[in-house]
């Protein structure tokens, strides 16, 4: 960082203001001294319904007042107002069927992008995001696989890297999470029903990216 950039707060917008954003992303961003939440985006006035932790959610008017942020309903509205917002980056936490559309718009607008896992719910969409990012080397495109930074994962990575376990021949991995309820019922349709070009939906689409990310990280 140059001397000119020292002390400058990154101006960040959050797109998707359901339970995961309200419970984790927004509090963590607001506690940083190098970031400022300037905009919140959600089409719903009462976000989080049908999400993973709706009990953590408050309506958008209260949320914007809490973080002193401007409210938008779509990513298009957000990016159209960038002359005023002067965004540095965008955190995307919308349902995964919409990751490619929203994430692609952010990258095309020249902004850094932190996106919730999974990268996409469609292989062709994932490839398109990859190409968009590859062609913009000055922009960050990061996926939020938080499990890769847990102590157990780091210990496993170091054990493999240092040769403590010897040469890996085969890996057997089981992933389990107490979230079965999230993939059941009409109220959780964004988690259990196909949308757009998705070939399926459910636990695998919502959670297996953790498994693959863990395997790729540990094995190098």
């Amino acid at each position: 960082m140059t001397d000119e950039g020292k002390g400058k707060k990154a101006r960040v917008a959050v797109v998707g203001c359901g339970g995961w954003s309200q419970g984790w992303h927004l509090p963590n961003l607001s506690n940083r001294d190098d970031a400022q939440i300037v905009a919140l985006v959600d089409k719903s006035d009462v976000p989080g319904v049908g999400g993973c932790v709706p009990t953590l959610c408050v309506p958008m008017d209260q949320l914007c007042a809490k973080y002193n942020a401007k409210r938008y309903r779509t990513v298009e509205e957000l990016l159209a107002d960038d002359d005023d917002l002067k965004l540095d980056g965008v955190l995307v936490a919308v349902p995964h069927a919409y990751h490619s559309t929203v994430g692609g718009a952010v990258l095309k607008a020249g902004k850094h992008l932190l996106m919730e896992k999974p990268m996409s719910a469609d292989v062709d969409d994932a490839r398109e995001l990859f190409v968009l990012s590859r062609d913009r080397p000055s922009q960050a495109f990061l996926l939020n696989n938080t499990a890769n930074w847990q102590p157990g994962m780091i210990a496993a990575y170091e054990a493999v890297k240092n040769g403590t376990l010897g040469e890996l021949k085969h890996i057997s991995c089981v992933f389990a999470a107490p979230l079965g309820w999230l993939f059941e019922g009409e109220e959780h349709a964004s988690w259990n029903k196909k949308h757009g070009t998705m070939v399926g939906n459910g636990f695998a689409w919502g959670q297996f990216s953790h498994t693959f990310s863990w395997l790729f990280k540990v094995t190098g």
Side-chain angles (χ1 to χ4, degrees), residues 12-30:
V12 180
V14 175
V15 182
C17 297
W20 203 250
S21 286
Q22 294 198 33
W24 285 269
H25 290 312
L26 290 170
N28 287 334
L29 279 170
S30 68

Side-chain angles (χ1 to χ4, degrees), residues 127-154:
R127 290 192 178 112
E128 182 178 347
L129 284 172
F130 168 76
V131 171
L132 284 171
S133 177
R134 183 194 62 190
D135 293 345
R136 294 162 171 79
S138 63
Q139 291 172 236
F141 174 29
L142 305 173
L143 292 174
N144 188 44
N145 285 102
T146 51
N148 276 17
W149 307 103
Q150 294 176 354
M153 198 290 310
I154 295 173

Side-chain angles (χ1 to χ4, degrees), residues 4 8 13 24 32 36 38 48 52-53 79 86 110-111 128 152-153 169 172 183 185 192 195 211 214 219:
E4 183 180 353
K8 178 181 180 295
W24 285 269
R32 296 191 63 88
Q36 179 183 359
V38 298
C52 52
V53 278
L79 297 173
K86 297 178 172 58
K111 306 303 176 185
E128 182 178 347
M153 198 290 310
K169 299 289 188 179
S172 178
F183 301 95
N192 60 43
H195 301 275
T211 306
W214 192 95
T219 60

